[in-house]
Each structure stands twice: as structure tokens, then as C-alpha cells.
Amino acid sequence: QVQLVESGGGLVQPGGSLRLSCAASGSIVSHMDMGWYRQTPGNQRELVARITTDGTTNYADSVKGRFTISRDYAENTVYLQMNSLRPEDTAVYYCNSFDIFRQDNSWGQGTQVTVSS
């Protein structure tokens, strides 16, 4: 079973940066499509960024040019570098994985990101 542990959230001022990490165990990131989602109270979870096993990335329009998703095979970790943060980026951010061999979908526990002055 895949386990995902997120870290790196916190409070940051508008215009600031954060890097979220998602450490995976139970599988390897090269076998998994990985994504970052976010959710605010009363709203559905939405895709922020995704990276597939072949390295293809896609982003929500609202974060294009500001956020970058990447993965480190040695660390078995996926990152989300968030720059030029805005108050509307405030949310709980969740890491998601889909193991293409096991057809197994997993979620992390979430990490809070708050953008406020």
C-alpha cells in the first residue's frame, strides 16, 4: 500500500514562496502519476499540478507560471514549488498518487498553506 506524507506548508506573505514535499513509500514515483490538489472549506478538491510517469506536467490555469511540480527519484519524493503566492492560494494541499501497475490511488493527509499579510 502506498503511503504519502506531505510537508512544507505554513504561513507566508503575499508574493512569497513555499515548497511542498510529498514523500512516498510502498511504491516508487517512477511507477506513479503524481499530483497536488487543494481544497478550501465548502469547495471541492481541485487539481493544482500533475506529473505523469513519462514526465508530462499540467497545471491549473490559476497557477501556471507560478508553481512547478517536480520529482526526485533518489528521494522518492514529489515537490511543488510555489512562487508569487496569493491569498487565493490559501488551502489545504493534498498529494495524490496513482500507481499505473497496481491501479492503486492514494492520498496524503494534507498540509495547510496560508497566504496572508
Side-chain angles (χ1 to χ4, degrees):
Q1 185 175 354
V2 175
Q3 290 190 327
L4 305 172
V5 178
E6 300 106 331
S7 60
L11 173 64
V12 63
Q13 292 187 341
S17 297
L18 282 175
R19 189 179 77 158
L20 305 183
S21 301
C22 173
S25 61
S27 185
I28 56 177
V29 294
S30 61
H31 288 182
M32 300 187 289
D33 294 338
M34 304 289 296
W36 286 96
Y37 290 73
R38 66 188 180 188
Q39 189 171 24
T40 54
N43 293 306
Q44 289 189 336
R45 199 168 292 187
E46 63 174 4
L47 176 68
V48 176
R50 186 169 176 262
I51 183 166
T52 63
T53 54
D54 67 0
T56 301
T57 58
N58 60 285
Y59 298 89
D61 287 343
S62 60
V63 307
K64 282 180 182 177
R66 300 188 298 122
F67 291 11
T68 303
I69 189 170
S70 62
R71 59 189 172 190
D72 184 319
Y73 294 117
E75 297 294 327
N76 212 39
T77 297
V78 172
Y79 301 98
L80 184 68
Q81 178 66 44
M82 305 186 294
N83 298 327
S84 302
L85 282 161
R86 305 167 180 169
E88 54 264 38
D89 295 318
T90 296
V92 178
Y93 284 70
Y94 296 90
C95 181
N96 172 263
S97 70
F98 180 76
D99 190 305
I100 64 171
F101 297 103
R102 300 178 187 174
Q103 297 288 292
D104 178 33
N105 191 55
S106 300
W107 291 93
Q109 82 286 354
T111 185
Q112 176 71 45
V113 171
T114 302
V115 184
S116 175
S117 55

